[in-house]
């Protein structure tokens, strides 16, 4: 029994790697889709064993490099986290690949694109299964490189290149933290996860601060957040994969995996809580001010990642992992639905230009509604089971009221922008030429699969983990708190949409611009660059030209020549003065002589 799980995981790795190596003609692209489907089916076997027998094991290969202090080897940990998330990642990538074959059909390099998506998944799986810091670092850098290549896929567009560079530079800032943490662990502890987690009682600031910095960069938390909305310049399938089961969840996954290190350090847990609550609130407020459908969904990802960070700050890594898993399904669905709409509307991404799509694309519209309701946390959809539990946990914890209030405001805002998407896409007049395509099988089947999971995964998780319903130990007001603020958000959105559409255009207020420009986006990207440019311009013109060169150039030479003239002759060109002095002296002498 113990041999089955490692064999299956290695089979998945080798099969996916083989599909990236072999040449894939355009007419054989469906083979990759079937590979993912088969791998997903196989990956359910270890998950079934885990749920029935709670089997967790580690697989280690012989050392590759032997050093006096550390044996470096390839080692996999197959525990609850990795065995649950691998099928999730495979399922989502299967759906996204099938969608990509339709969405990117006109692209001449579609085979290369599918291979890049597969490599992206392999790198994420390396992070999920890594049992030492070296292996995790390979996967960590791998997802960074693949995101750079995929975001900048349409490299003829300057915006796509800028967004790709922005993604990798922001991540590199966070990666400094991971390198710092790994270096500290090599020196004072161990890079092997099992050995590392045995020593977690000792509290050290450096490795935990390094891991936090890495998670902030990769999961686009507040201060390193601007790269995530900018990454929407890539093709929609890339956005779907990037936001659901790879890349951005890697930062939160790292903290969940090494949570025992964080657990002892109360300073870092408080940091997690404050940062998570701030990110949730800020991203939700920024999403309200946006009009680009993909940017709204991207900022909602940042908001949900903030919720996961809040849970880590409260000491609930399992709940953070549950939300991460469930969130993957409806986020991938939202992106693929938005991609379907964008494709129908001749690449129109502005929500205000859409409308009345309920009749032209009924199935995609229905799927968008389900995904948005799941994101809001509507009862009995998947999102409800994790989001509601998170807010209940916060309400019943000993944390400060500030974090709870901020999260509740963010929940109201997330319900508001989700409702805004539904209302502006499905109802109202259409403002653009619709190039209607038939909702074909290769578009609808991946969306249908993701919709079913967005509805059922929460219920299945509840049935598999909690066989007996728990006793309710909180007041009804607290129990219904999340639902109340969600309904409030929906009502506000409906009123706001009706009033805003009928009112004449007005100049946006400062606070609106602050959130629309992603707050600190202006500081590094505009304010700092303009200040640097202006100061360098002043240095080069005023300091160099007007002062240095002038004084040591023409004026300096002039002064040098004047001194040389004074040295060579006594004449100072003062003839008038000389003549006046001579005449006055002569007159005085004559007067004195006469007297």
């Amino acid at each position: 029994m113990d041999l089955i799980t490692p064999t299956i995981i290695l089979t998945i790795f080798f099969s996916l790697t083989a599909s990236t190596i072999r040449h894939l003609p355009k007419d054989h692209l469906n083979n990759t889709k079937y590979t993912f489907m088969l791998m997903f089916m196989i990956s359910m076997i270890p998950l079934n064993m885990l749920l029935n027998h709670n089997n967790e094991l580690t697989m280690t290969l012989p050392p590759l490099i032997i050093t006096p202090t550390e044996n470096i080897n390839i080692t996999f940990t197959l525990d609850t986290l990795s065995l649950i998330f691998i099928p999730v990642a495979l399922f989502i990538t299967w759906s996204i690949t099938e969608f990509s074959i339709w969405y990117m059909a006109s692209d001449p390099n579609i085979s290369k694109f599918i291979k890049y998506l597969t490599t992206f998944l392999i790198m994420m799986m390396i992070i999920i299964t890594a049992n030492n810091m070296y292996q995790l670092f390979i996967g960590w850098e791998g997802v960074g490189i693949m995101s750079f290549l995929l975001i900048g896929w349409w490299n003829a567009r300057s915006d796509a290149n800028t967004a790709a560079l922005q993604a990798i530079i922001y991540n590199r800032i966070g990666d400094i933290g991971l390198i710092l943490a790994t270096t500290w662990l090599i020196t004072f502890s161990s890079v092997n996860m099992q050995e590392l987690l045995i020593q977690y009682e000792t509290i050290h600031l450096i490795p935990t601060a390094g891991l936090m910095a890495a998670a902030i960069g990769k999961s686009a938390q507040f201060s390193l957040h601007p790269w995530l909305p900018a990454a929407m310049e890539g093709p929609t399938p890339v956005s779907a994969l990037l936001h659901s089961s790879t890349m951005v969840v890697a930062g939160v996954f790292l903290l969940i995996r090494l949570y025992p290190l964080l657990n002892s350090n109360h300073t870092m847990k408080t940091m997690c809580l404050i940062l998570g609550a701030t990110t949730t609130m800020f991203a939700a407020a920024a999403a309200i001010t946006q009009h680009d459908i993909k940017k709204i969904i991207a900022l909602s990802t940042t908001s949900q990642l903030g919720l996961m960070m809040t849970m880590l700050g409260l000491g609930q890594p399992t709940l953070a992992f549950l939300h991460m898993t469930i969130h993957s399904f409806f986020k991938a669905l939202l992106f693929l639905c938005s991609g379907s709409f964008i494709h129908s509307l001749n690449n129109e991404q502005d929500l205000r230009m859409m409308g009345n799509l309920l009749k032209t694309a009924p199935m995609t519209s229905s799927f968008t509604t389900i995904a948005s309701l799941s994101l809001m946390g509507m009862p009995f959809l998947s999102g409800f089971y994790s989001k509601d539990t998170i807010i209940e946990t916060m309400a019943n914890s000993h944390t400060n009221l500030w974090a709870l209030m901020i999260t509740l405001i963010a929940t109201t805002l997330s319900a508001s922008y989700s409702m805004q998407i539904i209302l502006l896409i499905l109802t109202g007049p259409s403002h653009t030429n619709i190039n209607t395509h038939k909702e074909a099988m290769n578009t609808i089947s991946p969306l249908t699969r993701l919709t079913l999971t967005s509805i059922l995964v929460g219920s299945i998780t509840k049935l598999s983990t909690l066989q007996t319903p728990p006793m309710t130990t909180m007041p009804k007001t607290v129990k219904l708190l999340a639902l109340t603020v969600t309904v409030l958000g929906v009502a506000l959105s409906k009123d706001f949409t009706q009033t805003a559409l009928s009112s004449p255009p007005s100049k946006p207020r400062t606070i609106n611009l602050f959130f629309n420009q992603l707050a600190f986006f202006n500081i590094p990207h505009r304010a700092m660059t303009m200040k640097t440019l202006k100061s360098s311009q002043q240095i080069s013109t005023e300091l160099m030209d007007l002062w240095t060169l002038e004084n040591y150039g023409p004026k300096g030479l002039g002064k040098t020549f004047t001194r040389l003239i004074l040295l060579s002759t006594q004449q100072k060109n003062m003839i008038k003065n000389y003549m006046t002095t001579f005449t006055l002296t002569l007159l005085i002498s004559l007067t004195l002589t006469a007297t």
Side-chain angles (χ1 to χ4, degrees), residues 297 327 329-337 364-378 381-383 418 422 447 450-451 454-455:
I297 302 168
H327 166 260
F329 294 107
F330 58 76
K331 189 48 55 82
L333 176 59
L334 266 174
F335 268 114
L336 294 189
C337 287
T364 316
S365 300
S366 309
F367 298 153
T368 308
T369 309
I370 290 165
S372 296
L373 290 172
S374 191
L375 174 63
M376 285 183 212
M378 279 293 164
L381 292 173
S382 290
S418 299
I422 295 169
L447 296 179
L450 287 167
T451 306
S454 298
I455 297 166

Side-chain angles (χ1 to χ4, degrees), residues 493-508:
S493 179
K494 194 170 185 306
D495 288 351
F496 175 73
T497 308
Q498 283 177 342
T499 52
L501 287 176
S502 58
S503 61
S506 59
K507 193 180 176 184

Side-chain angles (χ1 to χ4, degrees), residues 245-543:
S245 54
T246 59
M247 188 68 177
V248 291
V249 295
V252 173
F253 187 87
L254 174 74
L255 293 183
I256 295 169
R257 168 70 79 205
L258 297 174
Y259 189 74
L261 282 179
L262 208 66
N263 197 28
S264 315
N265 196 329
H266 293 295
T267 312
M268 279 300 140
K269 280 170 74 177
T270 310
M271 272 284 293
C272 253
L273 182 70
I274 293 167
L275 190 74
T278 310
T279 307
T280 308
M281 163 69 193
F282 171 77
I288 290 282
T289 65
Q290 298 290 335
H291 300 297
D292 184 325
I293 183 170
K294 282 174 75 177
K295 281 196 175 175
I296 294 172
I297 302 168
L299 284 162
S300 87
T301 305
T302 311
S303 187
Q304 299 307 307
L305 290 163
L307 268 183
M308 296 169 209
M309 286 290 272
T310 310
M311 279 300 98
L312 287 165
L314 282 180
Q316 299 284 348
T318 316
L319 198 49
F321 181 69
L322 173 71
H323 191 54
M324 186 173 109
T325 309
I326 288 174
H327 166 260
S328 299
F329 294 107
F330 58 76
K331 189 48 55 82
L333 176 59
L334 266 174
F335 268 114
L336 294 189
C337 287
S338 72
S340 182
F341 288 134
I342 291 163
H343 214 59
S344 307
L345 303 171
N346 298 322
N347 300 323
E348 179 59 68
Q349 291 184 201
D350 195 324
L351 268 178
R352 295 166 298 181
M353 299 301 286
M354 299 181 184
N356 205 24
L357 290 168
L358 185 60
K359 295 189 175 85
T360 52
M363 289 193 80
T364 316
S365 300
S366 309
F367 298 153
T368 308
T369 309
I370 290 165
S372 296
L373 290 172
S374 191
L375 174 63
M376 285 183 212
M378 279 293 164
F380 313 114
L381 292 173
S382 290
F384 168 76
Y385 289 97
S386 56
K387 202 170 181 182
D388 198 70
T389 317
I390 284 172
I391 291 163
E392 280 175 20
T393 308
M394 288 192 78
N396 291 313
S397 68
H398 295 290
T399 185
N400 53 11
L401 189 62
W402 175 83
L404 177 63
M405 280 302 298
I406 290 282
T407 311
L408 288 173
I409 293 165
T411 308
T412 310
L413 292 172
S414 65
S416 187
Y417 65 69
S418 299
M419 198 65 200
Q420 207 172 327
I421 290 174
I422 295 169
L423 291 171
L424 289 172
I425 287 179
L426 309 187
T427 62
S430 177
H431 298 281
T432 187
N433 297 323
I434 301 174
N435 175 24
T436 50
H437 63 264
K438 267 177 73 180
E439 294 184 316
M441 216 38 208
N442 50 4
T443 9
I444 293 304
S445 59
L447 296 179
T448 309
R449 279 199 300 275
L450 287 167
T451 306
L452 287 170
T453 49
S454 298
I455 297 166
L456 299 171
V457 161
S459 313
I460 293 165
T461 310
K462 189 175 186 300
L463 289 170
S464 64
T465 53
L466 303 168
Q467 298 295 345
T468 52
M471 291 287 289
T472 308
T473 55
M474 64 189 92
K476 275 185 185 173
T477 46
V478 176
K479 183 76 180 164
L480 296 171
L481 197 59
L483 190 60
T484 310
V485 293
T486 304
V487 172
L488 177 70
V490 170
L492 282 171
S493 179
K494 194 170 185 306
D495 288 351
F496 175 73
T497 308
Q498 283 177 342
T499 52
L501 287 176
S502 58
S503 61
S506 59
K507 193 180 176 184
R509 288 196 296 269
T510 310
I511 191 160
N512 196 317
L513 281 171
F514 174 79
F515 284 115
N516 185 266
Q517 294 297 318
L518 304 176
F520 292 112
F521 182 85
N522 273 334
I523 295 169
H525 292 263
R526 299 214 178 119
M528 277 169 63
T529 45
M530 282 308 292
K531 287 281 181 197
T532 311
L533 186 68
K534 281 190 174 175
S535 57
S536 58
Q537 193 178 16
Q538 284 173 334
I539 288 165
S540 65
T541 54
E542 292 174 22
L543 191 66

Side-chain angles (χ1 to χ4, degrees), residues 58-328:
T58 306
M59 176 174 55
T60 307
L61 299 179
L64 295 173
I65 301 166
I66 299 170
T67 66
T69 53
E70 203 75 64
N71 286 347
I72 300 166
N73 48 18
I74 296 170
T75 169
F76 296 94
T77 179
L78 306 173
D79 61 350
T80 312
L81 297 178
S82 52
L83 292 179
I84 288 174
F85 206 73
I86 284 173
V88 171
L90 283 165
F91 180 83
I92 289 166
T93 315
W94 165 32
S95 302
I96 290 169
T97 308
E98 190 173 345
F99 185 84
S100 302
I101 294 166
W102 168 78
Y103 189 84
M104 304 288 285
S106 59
D107 197 298
N109 296 319
I110 185 169
S111 305
K112 189 175 164 188
F113 181 78
I114 301 292
K115 283 182 181 180
Y116 277 9
L117 287 182
T118 312
T119 313
F120 203 6
L121 175 70
I122 293 166
M123 290 303 165
M124 187 62 197
M125 282 173 64
I126 290 170
I127 294 175
I128 294 163
T129 56
N131 195 34
N132 63 42
M133 293 302 285
Y134 294 119
Q135 208 168 314
L136 188 137
F137 191 71
I138 291 164
W140 190 268
E141 291 303 311
V143 290
I145 293 161
M146 293 318 298
S147 68
F148 172 75
L149 293 171
L150 285 164
I151 292 165
W153 179 256
W154 289 319
N155 48 34
R157 293 167 57 193
S158 60
D159 282 357
N161 289 328
T162 310
L165 277 171
Q166 205 174 315
I168 206 155
I169 291 164
Y170 272 95
N171 276 291
R172 179 54 62 199
I173 295 165
D175 291 351
I176 294 165
L178 188 68
I179 294 163
L180 177 74
T182 310
T183 310
W184 190 92
L185 292 170
I186 291 166
T187 314
F188 298 105
S189 182
S190 170
V191 287
N192 187 289
M193 298 272 183
Q194 268 81 21
E195 293 170 14
L196 173 62
L197 297 178
I198 291 166
Q199 304 167 10
Y200 66 82
E201 287 87 358
T202 52
I203 301 168
H204 291 288
L205 196 66
I206 294 169
T208 47
L211 293 172
M212 274 284 291
I216 291 166
K218 195 67 84 180
S219 290
Q221 295 299 292
F222 188 71
S223 72
L224 292 179
H225 60 278
W227 74 267
L228 197 59
M232 296 302 97
E233 290 297 330
T236 308
V238 174
S239 306
L241 191 59
L242 186 87
H243 285 251
S244 58
S245 54
T246 59
M247 188 68 177
V248 291
V249 295
V252 173
F253 187 87
L254 174 74
L255 293 183
I256 295 169
R257 168 70 79 205
L258 297 174
Y259 189 74
L261 282 179
L262 208 66
N263 197 28
S264 315
N265 196 329
H266 293 295
T267 312
M268 279 300 140
K269 280 170 74 177
T270 310
M271 272 284 293
C272 253
L273 182 70
I274 293 167
L275 190 74
T278 310
T279 307
T280 308
M281 163 69 193
F282 171 77
I288 290 282
T289 65
Q290 298 290 335
H291 300 297
D292 184 325
I293 183 170
K294 282 174 75 177
K295 281 196 175 175
I296 294 172
I297 302 168
L299 284 162
S300 87
T301 305
T302 311
S303 187
Q304 299 307 307
L305 290 163
L307 268 183
M308 296 169 209
M309 286 290 272
T310 310
M311 279 300 98
L312 287 165
L314 282 180
Q316 299 284 348
T318 316
L319 198 49
F321 181 69
L322 173 71
H323 191 54
M324 186 173 109
T325 309
I326 288 174
H327 166 260
S328 299

